[in-house]
Amino acid sequence: MSDRYEEKLTFYGGLTTIGGVHIMYSCGDTGIVFDLGMARGFFNGDTRVRSDYGIRSFLLTRMAPPVLDLYDPELLGDLGEAELKQVWGREQLEQVTNLHGFVSHIHQDHMALLPSLRPNLPVWMHRDAYAVYEAIVAAGEYEDTRADIRIIEDGQIVDYGPFRIEFIEVDHDSPGVTGFIIHGPEHRIAFTADWRRHGRNHHRLDRFIERCQTVGVDVLITEGTRMRPDTLFRKPKDRLEVQVAVECRLAMEQTDGLVYVNILARNVERVADLIMKTQEAGRELVMDESTAVLWFEASDKLQVLSGHPALEAGRHVIRLLRTPVWSQGPRPAKNVKLPYAPITVNEITANKSQYAVYLIYPLTALIAELETKGSQAAASIYVHADGNPLTSADETLLKWLNEFGVQYRYCATGGHAAPQEITELTTAIAPGLVIPLHSNHPTLFNSGGVRKYYPAPGESFKVSELVGNKTTV
């Protein structure tokens, strides 16, 4: 085959980290980069840069793929290929002239580079994923993008240069999460995106497997978030997604005190469940302004919530608490007229049994006022259901709860498959080669006899050589 139609895979990020997957598939001068997020690395809540103007720092710390045509030239300034070759220790970095991007879903580690992309860069994204992105921009969590967002639907096939991309929705804890199969001139490459089997739409993975079996996959790229030594021999037991909101309701029924709920607001389907369970428990759900804007802006546009009773119930169940002036938490970037009745701290504490407080991590300090005012006869309960911080051992959060005698309930379920389920998916698809990533421990992967490979950062392969290399393990 001529070089014009030679298929290549280049691996940059997410190879030994959870998140920050950066891969470029190219064929001649045409290519697509997936995903466009960042893993946790050199920045945290105290050491940080803006998500748009910080692209130079992201590139120089290998938190963004060194594909220069992705980014807004105004943000790059004088940063060029010479500096990036030095940072990556490579004599050559793969570049293409006809470039597209792809975002599988709206979690930070898959979409955080969107504000830094160059104007008019074509970026493919599921309709529901884009609705969530627009909502987090309105809520003030991220800047908007200048890229040309190309909306896709489940099952859609896009012809793109010498290859076609077949988009397939899977199940994760965020709306619109989408994997794909790339149909190249000679090879088929499948990417699962993030996925799980314990969600409400686990059947989508069966369809993904069936499509891969039908077309025949040469290379399967799958996430492996939960591959750890403690899950190697025993499959973990997962709480079902539909059970999370049920446990929130149980907490509301078991105390006359306040119930705090911490859910990642981008999991809009779970928020819809929470609204309904709050109504069933006879309480109202107090939201800060940013969270209320995110819910309002996303819920009305999401296909997956079309006709959901929470759309109407939310107008009566949600109460709006103005963000305190002392808070450094997110504030809406868009002036949205919200249909929710306002409420004050004094009104909440005057009748604690009537309210559940959606308490995002940056507003944890509200606990001090909410717990010291009003009746303290009944203990409050804090339900932590996959909201930030993403751990049950956060020292700061636990210190606040212990200080005021608030009961802590960890009610996580997460969005990732058990290692044994990844093995089952791999053996069912039976690709020529599997590449596990999005994992701290990819080498623990049991591929069920399918050949596997662990790319090094910056490695580039001709797909024909990668598939034909019998030295892979």
Side-chain angles (χ1 to χ4, degrees):
M1 175 175 289
S2 69
D3 289 342
R4 179 182 177 187
Y5 296 110
E6 188 70 62
E7 299 164 66
K8 288 185 178 180
L9 279 168
T10 305
F11 298 86
Y12 292 113
L15 306 178
T16 55
T17 62
I18 294 176
V21 172
H22 301 139
I23 303 170
M24 182 165 69
Y25 168 85
S26 59
C27 188
D29 63 354
T30 301
I32 185 167
V33 175
F34 58 97
D35 264 330
L36 296 172
M38 288 186 295
R40 295 174 181 83
F42 292 88
F43 301 95
N44 57 28
D46 298 315
T47 301
R48 56 185 174 179
V49 292
R50 281 183 48 149
S51 56
D52 50 1
Y53 282 90
I55 188 59
R56 291 166 61 96
S57 297
F58 302 147
L59 283 164
L60 293 173
T61 52
R62 297 176 299 281
M63 293 179 64
V67 183
L68 289 172
D69 197 43
L70 283 173
Y71 310 107
D72 189 336
E74 293 183 8
L75 303 180
L76 289 176
D78 61 356
L79 182 62
E81 192 169 3
E83 291 87 353
L84 297 182
K85 287 179 181 178
Q86 176 182 334
V87 167
W88 283 86
R90 297 276 170 179
E91 294 183 0
Q92 188 65 37
L93 294 173
E94 290 292 324
Q95 307 287 346
V96 297
T97 55
N98 182 20
L99 185 67
H100 285 213
F102 171 77
V103 172
S104 65
H105 64 287
I106 306 302
H107 281 164
Q108 182 265 355
D109 55 332
H110 295 267
M111 52 63 62
L113 295 175
L114 280 170
S116 304
L117 302 182
R118 67 170 169 84
N120 302 316
L121 174 75
V123 175
W124 300 95
M125 192 185 310
H126 188 280
R127 180 181 303 279
D128 279 356
Y130 185 53
V132 177
Y133 180 63
E134 288 185 301
I136 67 171
V137 170
E141 291 188 22
Y142 269 86
E143 297 85 10
D144 206 349
T145 185
R146 298 174 69 188
D148 176 16
I149 302 300
R150 306 283 181 90
I151 297 299
I152 55 175
E153 306 283 355
D154 178 36
Q156 184 174 342
I157 297 177
V158 173
D159 290 313
Y160 174 30
F163 56 86
R164 292 182 298 128
I165 308 178
E166 179 179 356
F167 297 103
I168 305 170
E169 193 173 1
V170 297
D171 188 61
H172 185 45
D173 55 342
S174 178
V177 61
T178 303
F180 58 68
I181 302 172
I182 295 178
H183 302 251
E186 284 198 349
H187 300 287
R188 306 293 179 266
I189 297 164
F191 173 58
T192 64
D194 288 4
W195 64 279
R196 62 180 177 178
R197 278 292 197 181
H198 54 281
R200 69 186 81 228
N201 297 303
H202 53 85
H203 59 277
R204 293 175 181 164
L205 273 302
D206 296 323
R207 187 181 52 183
F208 182 89
I209 291 170
E210 289 169 4
R211 285 301 303 151
C212 289
Q213 291 172 332
T214 298
V215 305
V217 169
D218 296 292
V219 179
L220 171 67
I221 302 172
T222 179
E223 67 118 316
T225 303
R226 296 170 68 189
M227 295 176 199
R228 303 186 304 269
D230 62 299
T231 63
L232 190 58
F233 299 108
R234 181 173 298 174
K235 182 179 179 179
K237 294 182 179 180
D238 290 312
R239 178 182 286 108
L240 296 177
E241 171 62 41
V242 294
Q243 188 63 27
V244 176
V246 172
E247 295 194 26
C248 291
R249 175 183 170 173
L250 287 175
M252 296 178 201
E253 295 173 339
Q254 290 170 353
T255 182
D256 288 329
L258 283 172
V259 173
Y260 303 99
V261 180
N262 184 353
I263 290 174
L264 188 65
R266 301 182 197 193
N267 191 343
V268 187
E269 290 177 271
R270 186 180 294 180
V271 177
D273 289 345
L274 174 64
I275 289 170
M276 298 310 300
K277 295 304 177 185
T278 303
Q279 183 182 60
E280 292 171 14
R283 296 194 183 219
E284 293 179 303
L285 183 62
V286 179
M287 285 187 179
D288 64 277
E289 294 168 279
S290 179
T291 302
V293 167
L294 198 163
W295 159 257
F296 181 76
E297 289 286 290
S299 60
D300 194 46
K301 300 174 183 176
L302 286 172
Q303 288 181 323
V304 73
L305 288 185
S306 177
H308 197 292
L311 299 180
E312 178 59 30
R315 297 176 181 271
H316 311 288
V317 174
I318 296 172
R319 301 290 298 274
L320 186 64
L321 180 65
R322 297 296 177 187
T323 304
V325 294
W326 47 258
S327 169
Q328 294 187 8
R331 295 176 184 274
K334 181 180 179 181
N335 186 16
V336 178
K337 186 176 181 181
L338 297 170
Y340 313 127
I343 195 169
T344 65
V345 168
N346 287 340
E347 288 175 305
I348 297 170
T349 56
N351 195 355
K352 294 182 178 182
S353 65
Q354 294 302 303
Y355 301 105
V357 179
Y358 194 127
L359 194 64
I360 61 175
Y361 191 46
L363 296 182
T364 298
L366 270 173
I367 290 175
E369 291 192 54
L370 292 171
E371 290 301 312
T372 54
K373 292 181 178 180
S375 173
Q376 299 170 37
S380 296
I381 300 173
Y382 185 102
V383 183
H384 189 182
D386 297 304
N388 291 318
L390 300 176
T391 172
S392 59
D394 183 77
E395 182 178 349
T396 301
L397 174 61
L398 295 180
K399 188 170 184 177
W400 276 93
L401 301 182
N402 291 335
E403 174 69 18
F404 294 100
V406 178
Q407 296 178 11
Y408 179 66
R409 295 187 184 180
Y410 191 56
C411 189
T413 185
H416 302 281
Q420 295 78 5
E421 293 167 335
I422 304 173
T423 301
E424 292 167 2
L425 176 136
T426 300
T427 55
I429 293 174
L433 182 76
V434 60
I435 298 175
L437 35 69
H438 197 290
S439 172
N440 290 330
H441 306 282
T443 58
L444 294 180
F445 176 46
N446 174 9
S447 64
V450 175
R451 286 193 303 127
K452 52 190 174 182
Y453 190 73
Y454 310 107
E459 272 196 290
S460 185
F461 304 90
K462 293 180 178 180
V463 176
S464 57
E465 295 176 352
L466 186 63
V467 173
N469 184 1
K470 302 304 181 182
T471 63
T472 51
V473 293

